[in-house]
Amino acid sequence: TAFKDPSDGLIYLDVTAPTSITHGRSRGFAGKESDQDYHHPVTLEPGIYAVGVVEETDWISKTVRKVID
């Protein structure tokens, strides 16, 4: 379960059972992941983890968006 802590604005993930995660896999993605060769699945043990969210700035359109890869 993910939650946002209002006191610090960070997103946390509460893992209650060993859970496997894979970098770079978007929902509904049907193609081959180029980064799959070096981003192997990682198993998270139960605990609370801070989730890092990277943002990128497009200076031409003057927008900021979350990086999803």
Side-chain angles (χ1 to χ4, degrees):
T1 305
F3 63 94
K4 188 172 186 175
D5 185 338
S7 68
D8 59 17
L10 296 176
I11 298 171
Y12 293 91
L13 186 61
D14 185 4
V15 178
T16 58
T19 303
S20 179
I21 60 170
T22 304
H23 172 268
R25 202 166 282 247
S26 298
R27 285 189 194 128
F29 184 81
K32 178 176 179 343
E33 290 283 349
S34 60
D35 64 356
Q36 205 61 30
D37 296 331
Y38 57 91
H39 283 94
H40 299 288
V42 174
T43 299
L44 297 179
E45 295 299 324
I48 296 179
Y49 297 84
V51 178
V53 178
V54 177
E55 293 180 333
E56 63 185 6
T57 302
D58 182 333
W59 295 104
I60 295 171
S61 66
K62 298 180 181 171
T63 59
V64 177
R65 61 185 169 258
K66 293 179 184 173
V67 174
I68 301 174
D69 67 351

